[in-house]
């Protein structure tokens, strides 16, 4: 095969094909035909033009930390890695933005921003390997969405090579530009199906104040909304995360932690506010106790205790890993979370008696991670089959609640079944119409997200 | 002609054809063939299906407060007025959103939000007649963009009737939904060229603290950025608006106001911060004076004085009206505003010796309103011709600076010439491709924005 880049910029070594052919889902056997390492936008353009001539499917590849298989190459695709397009190109301190190549790693950007007296607030566990281009292509979220929004809210400009091989520059980096459609929003969350993102301009802000943390235990999630409302009116809220009793048990058992409260309660909520709001939060907590909205509350006494409180939330995924859970990343309207979880519980109890469920997530975003774990008497194979059916059943419930089968993770390969089961399926024809404009040959990430035919 | 709605829902009276055929531009003679008043989404769908059968061009019509001719019907189009789709449909206080029909007037929503203990922060002078659907279709901005963003940032969901006559429901109203493309962004700022917006769901927030105001006079706009930077680091900034000496003279002359300072300076900047930041702002102002960034400063002493300070900014448009200025609503990157205005001045002085220019705008957004006024020896007709050429010359400068010929107002009819002159023209083919998906017959607002052929 003739590749469109010099020998130093491609690899067909088995180790590379394996490593670059998969993402964090680990569910799809990798089978890439080549890994390409463009070093510039014109390299990327040459790759797309080569793909056009050879009808060669391309898979764009960032840090491959996705959880939906969007970066998997399992059908002989050529992987386009952005590892070598990792330069920060331009800082603009007055306008507060940075322009960079798509392959810059999230944490590198965060640290560079600090060294410029600025702050990039989108943050998640995969910060050490996820790349900015991938974050944009998946509209990544994280733990600060309540305060700072998703990637979409921080993208000021993009440069993209479309499936037609054209370079589309959307990098005016203007606060205001109503000169026609804002095309960049098409590429944010497109999972690589419309174009290859080569450069990104990101808005920056100033670092927030130090934060303070309170932990509350409660039995009825509906009370959590009263708490949320009181906080929103009078404090600057940074995080409002929840976990259920089962998650707490698992975290404490796996990491030898003590439980935060002697009293047993169904849910724990971890709340961060600005440090200046600390006294206000303490006053509020007394009201919450008086109104019996909460069972217990504890305000962190120092920096160390803030970290300890956050461990209950941050160690969940790691603590569950040995149980090999099936993860459903779903969202409903915030106010409907309690009712929705009751409906899921009801289906689980009646139709999946062996399966255990553990809930945690971003309560103020309506984003729940439903982790299902197989019963002790069940084989892995039987559980896998059951999990796929369960995901469809959850989608059915989501349809009743007007929810989404993918809050954060995207559709990728993993949720192709759910795409047809979801009421949101009626939008896919419009997305495919748009695909026909930007990638008429269907070269970019075929079979992923909305680009399945 | 058979219209698709009952007799009580259409009008061909001359007064209606005149009133509904034009917007605030007053530049294009109205010539509508009929005004239709749908009362429901299915009425709107019937209108589009009728238009398809009769190849009848449609012009969507909100409050018609636009400044680019986007809502003008000057070629026998049927006007689709949303005046009777003016109901607020649903409040969700926990999720903090409201769902409403497209014809609700901005100010009605603002007041209703307050009565629900909530706050809708997008605000502009046309609040008393502009409609939410039109605000979305034009991605309206206003005086609080620095704090709250544009309409785009507050749209949570939309319902749209596409040019194909289909009802597209994008109203999950979820904080997070990564299940494919976020199609609503296509309709925001589309100037009615892709679909007719029938319902809107808007995010709401809680009312901000009271604000406090400082007025500063300075000679070099570059110093304003140092001021901006110091405020952003330590205060919550709500407004950072500027006007030049010529605007100030005009406002004071027209309204019999005293000038704020004895000293003469080239620019006046009106700054709003949270009330809690007042002392901080006073300290900062001393620093600004010591560093000679400003000529004078005055902190408002009470509510009445805040209003007085804001008059200098808010009365500009009204004060200029009698001069019949040609308004250019442009944006560049924030840091480049001073250099850009110098380049505009240079062209004006060398090529348009009779013409006077007055500058004001949203400095922290890079959004400048360049108002050009004819010299005393010039006829109105000669000035009109010259203004069109001047707009092209300004576009040429914008191309050098990477700016936009439309920051807030859209393209509409008014900026068709500029569309071809702008470097941004190369994006129009993608927009037209998208148009071919949503409105293949070209029925919606033909000849406006990007939909010219």
């Amino acid at each position: 095969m003739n590749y469109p880049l010099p020998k130093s910029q491609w690899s067909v070594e088995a180790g590379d094909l394996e490593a670059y052919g998969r993402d964090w889902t680990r569910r799809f056997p990798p089978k890439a035909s080549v890994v390409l390492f463009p070093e510039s936008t014109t390299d990327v353009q040459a790759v797309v033009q080569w793909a056009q001539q050879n009808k060669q499917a391309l898979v764009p590849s960032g840090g491959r930390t996705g959880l939906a298989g969007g970066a998997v190459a399992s059908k002989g695709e050529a992987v386009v890695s952005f590892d070598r397009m990792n330069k920060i190109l331009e800082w603009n301190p007055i306008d507060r933005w940075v322009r960079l190549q798509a392959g810059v790693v999230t944490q590198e950007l965060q640290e560079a921003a600090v060294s410029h007296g600025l702050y990039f607030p989108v943050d998640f566990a995969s910060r050490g390997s996820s790349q900015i281009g991938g974050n944009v292509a998946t509209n990544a979220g994280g733990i600060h969405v309540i305060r700072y929004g998703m990637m979409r809210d921080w993208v000021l400009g993009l440069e993209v090579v479309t499936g037609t091989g054209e370079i589309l520059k959307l990098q005016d980096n203007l606060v205001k530009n109503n000169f026609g459609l804002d095309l960049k929003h098409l590429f944010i969350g497109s999972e690589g199906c419309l174009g290859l993102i080569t450069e990104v301009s990101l808005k920056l802000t100033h670092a927030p104040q130090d934060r303070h943390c309170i932990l509350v235990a409660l039995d009825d999630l509906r009370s959590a909304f009263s708490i949320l409302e009181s906080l929103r009116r009078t404090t600057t809220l940074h995080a409002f995360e929840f976990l259920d009793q089962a998650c707490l048990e698992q975290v404490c058992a796996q990491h030898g932690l003590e439980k935060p409260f002697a009293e047993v309660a169904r849910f724990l909520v971890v709340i961060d506010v600005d440090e200046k709001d600390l006294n206000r939060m303490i006053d509020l907590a007394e009201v919450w106790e008086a109104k019996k909205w909460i069972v217990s509350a504890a305000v962190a006494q120092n920096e160390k205790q803030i970290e300890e409180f956050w461990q209950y939330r941050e160690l969940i995924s790691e603590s569950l890993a040995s149980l090999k859970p099936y993860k459903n990343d779903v969202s409903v309207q915030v106010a409907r979370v309690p009712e929705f979880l009751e409906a899921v519980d009801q289906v689980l109890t009646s139709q999946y008696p062996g399966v255990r469920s553990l809930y945690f997530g971003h309560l103020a975003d309506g984003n729940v991670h439903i982790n299902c774990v197989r019963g002790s008497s069940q084989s892995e194979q039987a559980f896998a089959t059951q999990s796929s059916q369960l995901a469809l059943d959850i989608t059915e419930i989501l349809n009743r609640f007007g929810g989404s089968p993918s809050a954060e993770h995207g559709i990728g390969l993993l949720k192709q079944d759910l795409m047809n089961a979801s009421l949101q399926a009626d939008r896919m024809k419009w997305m495919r119409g748009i695909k026909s404009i930007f990638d008429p040959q269907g070269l970019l990430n075929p079979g992923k997200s909305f680009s399945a035919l």
Side-chain angles (χ1 to χ4, degrees), chain A:
Chain A
M1 188 74 168
N2 280 324
Y3 298 116
L5 300 174
K7 177 70 197 87
S8 61
Q9 288 182 243
W10 55 266
S11 169
V12 292
E13 282 180 35
D16 285 337
L17 296 181
E18 160 101 20
Y20 283 89
R22 65 185 191 182
D23 69 3
W24 277 9
T25 48
R26 295 287 187 275
R27 185 178 293 246
F28 309 97
K31 194 182 161 213
S33 61
V34 61
V35 186
L36 302 163
F37 296 97
E39 295 176 2
S40 66
T41 300
T42 49
D43 278 357
V44 174
Q45 187 175 39
V47 167
V48 175
Q49 287 167 346
W50 164 82
Q52 287 182 298
Q53 284 152 18
N54 296 281
K55 298 194 193 311
Q56 170 63 54
L58 302 176
V59 173
S61 170
R64 297 184 307 289
T65 56
L67 294 168
V72 165
S74 60
K75 291 180 180 166
E77 300 97 328
V79 172
V80 186
S81 165
F82 286 86
D83 282 2
R84 297 192 196 169
M85 290 180 68
N86 58 357
K87 283 168 208 64
I88 295 180
L89 301 169
E90 187 182 1
W91 294 91
N92 185 326
I94 292 175
D95 288 65
R96 298 196 298 179
W97 52 254
V98 60
R99 184 168 63 89
L100 36 76
Q101 287 184 306
V104 172
V105 169
T106 311
Q107 190 168 357
E108 282 171 25
L109 164 65
Q110 289 168 338
E111 289 170 2
V114 169
S115 76
H116 280 75
L118 291 161
Y119 182 70
F120 182 68
V122 181
D123 193 26
F124 22 71
S126 63
R127 70 182 71 84
S129 42
S130 64
Q131 294 177 4
I132 296 299
N135 297 348
V136 173
T138 56
N139 186 27
I143 54 172
H144 297 151
V145 171
I146 184 176
R147 174 77 174 97
Y148 290 110
M150 318 263 289
M151 277 304 285
R152 183 182 300 281
D153 301 298
W154 294 88
V155 176
L156 188 60
L158 290 178
E159 181 190 76
V160 172
V161 177
T162 63
T164 59
E166 289 161 276
I167 298 172
L168 179 53
K169 287 183 186 289
L170 304 169
Q171 292 216 93
D172 320 290
N173 299 351
L174 303 171
V175 179
K176 291 179 177 175
N177 181 7
N178 276 343
F179 207 68
L181 302 179
D182 194 344
L183 295 172
K184 68 174 180 286
H185 285 287
L186 283 175
F187 298 96
I188 302 168
S190 66
E191 301 188 61
C193 296
L194 300 179
L196 300 173
I197 296 168
T198 49
E199 282 187 20
V200 181
S201 294
L202 293 172
K203 299 178 210 175
L204 300 167
T205 184
H206 290 302
Q209 295 195 338
D210 283 342
R211 277 171 262 170
H212 222 95
C213 180
I214 187 170
L215 207 56
V216 301
L218 46 83
D219 278 323
D220 184 354
L221 274 187
R222 288 169 182 85
S223 321
F225 298 130
S226 306
I227 293 170
L228 180 62
E229 157 83 4
S230 66
L231 286 165
R232 276 180 161 156
R233 284 198 176 273
T234 51
T235 70
T236 300
L237 191 59
H238 288 264
F240 197 85
E241 299 279 305
F242 88 109
L243 52 150
D244 69 2
Q245 174 71 8
C247 288
L248 180 65
E249 299 274 359
Q250 186 70 18
V251 168
C252 290
Q254 290 280 310
H255 290 87
L257 300 180
E258 277 192 40
K259 288 188 194 155
F261 302 112
E263 302 87 349
V264 173
R266 292 187 60 204
F267 299 100
L268 202 65
V269 182
V270 190
I271 302 166
D272 267 5
V273 296
D274 263 3
E275 187 149 49
K276 71 168 166 45
D277 296 322
L278 174 62
N279 289 331
R280 177 79 197 136
M281 188 168 61
I282 292 170
D283 292 346
L284 285 174
E286 283 175 19
V287 176
W288 305 336
E289 282 196 297
K291 295 204 175 193
K292 304 214 183 301
W293 291 344
I294 59 176
V295 176
S296 323
V299 175
Q301 296 302 311
N302 48 45
E303 194 65 35
K304 181 160 166 287
Q305 205 170 17
I306 293 177
E307 273 175 40
E308 285 167 7
F309 283 5
W310 269 97
Q311 285 191 315
Y312 298 118
R313 169 66 183 84
E314 291 197 325
L315 294 173
I316 298 172
S317 285
E318 196 183 324
S319 304
L320 297 182
S322 64
L323 303 175
K324 297 188 182 162
Y326 188 94
K327 299 176 183 197
N328 296 276
D329 164 51
V330 306
S331 65
V332 293
Q333 289 176 19
V334 181
R336 306 194 74 178
V337 169
E339 194 190 344
F340 168 71
L341 289 182
E342 283 157 15
V344 172
D345 264 339
Q346 209 248 315
V347 166
L348 279 166
T349 312
S350 62
Q351 293 171 46
Y352 299 87
V355 175
R356 268 212 305 151
S357 62
L358 302 93
Y359 304 131
F360 69 97
H362 317 286
L363 188 56
D365 307 329
N367 180 189
V368 183
H369 299 300
I370 303 176
N371 283 254
C372 296
V373 175
R374 74 185 163 108
S376 48
S377 63
Q378 217 172 10
S379 73
E380 282 202 32
Q381 183 57 46
F383 178 67
T385 309
Q386 220 179 23
S387 296
S388 301
Q389 182 56 45
L390 177 57
L392 288 168
D393 288 349
I394 290 175
T395 301
E396 176 58 38
I397 301 171
L398 286 166
N399 285 342
R400 273 177 14 229
F401 280 80
S404 168
S406 180
E408 291 189 312
H409 299 170
I411 300 172
L413 277 177
L414 190 67
K415 300 193 176 175
Q416 289 296 316
D417 282 0
L418 306 189
M419 194 163 61
N420 297 319
S422 172
L423 281 182
Q424 298 196 15
D426 60 354
R427 293 175 204 170
M428 296 297 155
K429 79 163 196 177
W430 301 104
M431 298 183 201
R432 288 176 193 140
I434 291 163
K435 169 111 176 154
S436 75
I437 304 295
F438 289 94
D439 180 26
Q441 289 182 257
L443 301 169
L444 304 181
N445 244 354
K448 312 275 179 63
S449 189
F450 57 86
S451 73
L453 295 176

